[in-house]
Amino acid sequence: MRLIKNPEERRNEILDAAEILFVTKGYTKATVMDILQACSIAKGTFYYYFQSKEEVMNAIVMRFILNGEASARRVVSDPNLNAHDKIFRIIMAQNQPDDNKLGLIEQLHHVQNVEMHQKSLVETVLRLSPILAEVVEQGIEEGVFHTPNPKESIEFLLVSSQFLLDQGIFQWEEDQLLKKVEAFAHITERVLGAEQGSFAYVTRLYFPHQA
Amino acid sequence: MRLIKNPEERRNEILDAAEILFVTKGYTKATVMDILQACSIAKGTFYYYFQSKEEVMNAIVMRFILNGEASARRVVSDPNLNAHDKIFRIIMAQNQPDDNKLGLIEQLHHVQNVEMHQKSLVETVLRLSPILAEVVEQGIEEGVFHTPNPKESIEFLLVSSQFLLDQGIFQWEEDQLLKKVEAFAHITERVLGAEQGSFAYVTRLYFPHQA
DNA sequence: GTCTATAGTAGGATAGAC
DNA sequence: GTCTATCCTACTATAGAC
């Protein structure tokens, strides 16, 4: 009953099976045995490809984040967009991932998956901040932003929005969240030294049904 | 060999032993067995008092956070301090807890227990933000701060500093960290609408050996 | 190098006798 | 309330087939 497969293929089989299991049962409840059964492999095979269950989770989250990074890069490399447009589109792209990824996000927001969740937020910040910093520098040249620390300012804004506005970490009521998003637009303008009101559209992105 | 003790006493024995073990060996490496041996109790007894090893860590962290909250409240209620002084002292108090608590902090910053770590950061934000918001409002009345969203601004500043500057979440090189702290002082001034340079002292608090 | 099978360790957690 | 015995699962080790 020995089936030898292309290592790449096998690795992806394990990842795919694990992703489904993590999303449906949750990371903690999904056992390594579940994964083995789903791919019909032996334990040794699993540990031949991955050092631990956690490493599998890492790889899944990475696949997801690299997607977001790629789409952000596409926006930045468009020579016809100004800094404000680019930021708008990058935010849009991050908030509208493929439909089949929504389950993973929802899974990340469940209490049982704090580890996976935090890792994904951290990775998002690390990968998006250099890209967005580039856009801020473009904005400084265009004269619409004014800050001596583009990179640090973006990191600060990314971290605060990613963590504070995440309903898996802080559970805010809808009206509290609306206030925070409005304040965030305001804060962004101050931190980046942008014109007052220039980020007001962010509220409409997060709360399309409002005003 | 059956020794029956006052439940309160036994509970505290377990907590104290666990705290020492978590600090010396680290949360993950310290096993429940270690705790049992340190208190000379059986496994069943441990799980009679706590539902899990994590719950023990939770209790330890809570003891620590309530301390920080209390000292912040003492500062705020001092009628002789202006807003800038209060913020300075609150930051000082948070960064210089009792000596016997330093190990715990270091542990939180190193340990792989993301769930517990995040819980402590979230709890810190939730407990400190109303207190600091009060100080910001005082500063607005004193004319040194200018912001339409005192509470939200403080929340954003707290979250970004707590998470971004946490060496357990992001691992920055020392020089990167210095840059971020400097930028954070700058950003704080902008967000709170404070005079430029009025938060420059923060860098010296975090890096006493610099400049 | 890729895979199976199996046995075993360690640590977190539970059940039930006393 | 306390104990002993046991379970569950992540993970390791090994021996060997292709």
Side-chain angles (χ1 to χ4, degrees):
Chain A
M1 294 292 185
R2 215 185 137 67
L3 184 58
I4 296 184
K5 287 197 177 170
N6 174 357
E8 182 105 3
E9 190 185 339
R10 173 118 301 165
R11 202 185 123 93
N12 278 324
E13 271 180 25
I14 297 174
L15 278 182
D16 293 339
E19 177 165 349
I20 292 171
L21 282 161
F22 289 170
V23 167
T24 51
K25 301 185 70 168
Y27 173 73
T28 311
K29 277 183 151 180
T31 70
V32 173
M33 273 301 270
D34 289 337
I35 301 173
L36 307 184
Q37 280 163 14
C39 331
S40 302
I41 58 169
K43 210 171 251 189
T45 310
F46 177 88
Y47 283 101
Y48 177 79
Y49 282 95
F50 297 95
Q51 286 199 358
S52 64
K53 182 174 144 184
E54 195 182 340
E55 195 182 298
V56 175
M57 169 190 92
N58 252 331
I60 293 171
V61 171
M62 273 307 184
R63 267 205 304 205
F64 169 68
I65 289 182
L66 291 179
N67 254 345
E69 186 188 354
S71 73
R73 283 199 191 284
R74 274 194 297 279
V75 173
V76 170
S77 64
D78 187 332
N80 297 318
L81 296 173
N82 66 33
H84 263 300
D85 288 343
K86 285 185 180 176
I87 287 187
F88 176 84
R89 280 165 206 238
I90 289 173
I91 296 176
M92 286 295 285
Q94 296 305 313
N95 288 335
Q96 299 193 337
D98 315 354
D99 271 6
N100 58 338
K101 298 295 178 189
L102 282 176
L104 179 58
I105 295 178
E106 197 190 323
Q107 197 48 41
L108 287 178
H109 282 203
H110 282 350
V111 190
Q112 62 212 12
N113 290 337
V114 182
E115 255 186 54
M116 195 162 163
H117 189 186
Q118 194 174 95
K119 217 166 264 181
S120 88
L121 293 182
V122 166
E123 211 56 44
T124 301
V125 170
L126 290 177
R127 289 178 179 274
L128 282 190
S129 59
I131 301 175
L132 282 165
E134 205 178 303
V135 178
V136 171
E137 271 158 17
Q138 178 185 340
I140 292 173
E141 282 172 26
E142 291 172 4
V144 296
F145 298 152
H146 308 82
T147 168
N149 320 96
K151 189 161 188 339
E152 285 77 14
S153 297
I154 276 296
E155 281 169 353
F156 161 86
L157 291 169
L158 261 178
V159 166
S160 56
S161 59
Q162 290 281 321
F163 285 84
L164 185 62
L165 303 182
D166 189 304
Q167 287 295 73
I169 299 179
F170 294 90
Q171 283 83 38
W172 307 114
E173 302 292 327
E174 170 121 358
D175 57 330
Q176 290 179 303
L177 193 60
L178 173 60
K179 262 194 183 173
K180 284 180 212 311
V181 172
E182 281 173 346
F184 178 65
H186 218 128
I187 288 168
T188 302
E189 292 158 11
R190 286 193 176 196
V191 171
L192 296 185
E195 197 184 344
Q196 198 168 353
S198 55
F199 280 92
Y201 69 85
V202 171
T203 308
R204 258 165 286 128
L205 282 188
Y206 276 79
F207 296 92
H209 51 291
Q210 300 275 340
Chain B
M1 296 283 193
R2 230 179 154 78
L3 182 59
I4 297 183
K5 284 198 178 171
N6 174 357
E8 182 105 5
E9 190 184 340
R10 175 123 293 173
R11 203 186 122 93
N12 279 323
E13 271 179 24
I14 297 174
L15 276 182
D16 294 338
E19 180 164 346
I20 292 171
L21 281 161
F22 289 168
V23 169
T24 52
K25 301 186 67 167
Y27 173 74
T28 311
K29 276 182 147 181
T31 69
V32 173
M33 274 298 267
D34 291 335
I35 301 173
L36 307 184
Q37 280 161 13
C39 324
S40 301
I41 57 171
K43 219 169 235 196
T45 310
F46 176 90
Y47 283 101
Y48 175 78
Y49 285 96
F50 297 95
Q51 286 199 358
S52 65
K53 182 175 145 182
E54 194 183 335
E55 194 183 298
V56 175
M57 185 63 160
N58 215 348
I60 294 170
V61 169
M62 270 309 183
R63 269 203 301 205
F64 166 69
I65 287 182
L66 292 179
N67 254 346
E69 185 187 356
S71 73
R73 283 200 190 284
R74 274 195 298 279
V75 172
V76 170
S77 63
D78 186 331
N80 297 319
L81 296 174
N82 66 33
H84 262 300
D85 288 342
K86 284 185 181 176
I87 288 188
F88 177 83
R89 282 168 204 237
I90 289 173
I91 296 176
M92 285 296 285
Q94 297 304 313
N95 288 335
Q96 299 192 335
D98 315 354
D99 269 5
N100 59 337
K101 299 294 180 191
L102 280 176
L104 176 60
I105 295 178
E106 200 191 322
Q107 198 45 42
L108 278 178
H109 283 215
H110 284 329
V111 106
Q112 211 52 1
N113 182 9
V114 178
E115 208 168 301
M116 189 53 45
H117 189 182
Q118 198 175 90
K119 206 172 273 178
S120 90
L121 293 181
V122 167
E123 209 57 42
T124 301
V125 170
L126 291 176
R127 289 176 181 275
L128 282 189
S129 62
I131 301 174
L132 282 165
E134 207 178 300
V135 178
V136 171
E137 271 158 15
Q138 179 186 337
I140 293 174
E141 281 172 25
E142 291 173 4
V144 295
F145 298 151
H146 308 82
T147 168
N149 321 97
K151 190 163 187 336
E152 284 77 15
S153 297
I154 277 295
E155 281 169 353
F156 275 86
L157 290 170
L158 262 178
V159 166
S160 57
S161 60
Q162 291 280 321
F163 285 84
L164 185 61
L165 303 182
D166 189 305
Q167 286 295 72
I169 299 179
F170 294 90
Q171 284 84 37
W172 307 114
E173 303 293 326
E174 171 122 356
D175 58 328
Q176 290 179 305
L177 193 60
L178 173 61
K179 262 194 183 170
K180 284 180 213 311
V181 172
E182 281 172 346
F184 177 66
H186 219 124
I187 287 167
T188 302
E189 292 157 12
R190 286 193 176 195
V191 170
L192 296 185
E195 196 184 343
Q196 199 167 354
S198 55
F199 280 91
Y201 69 85
V202 170
T203 308
R204 259 165 285 128
L205 283 188
Y206 275 80
F207 296 91
H209 52 291
Q210 299 275 340

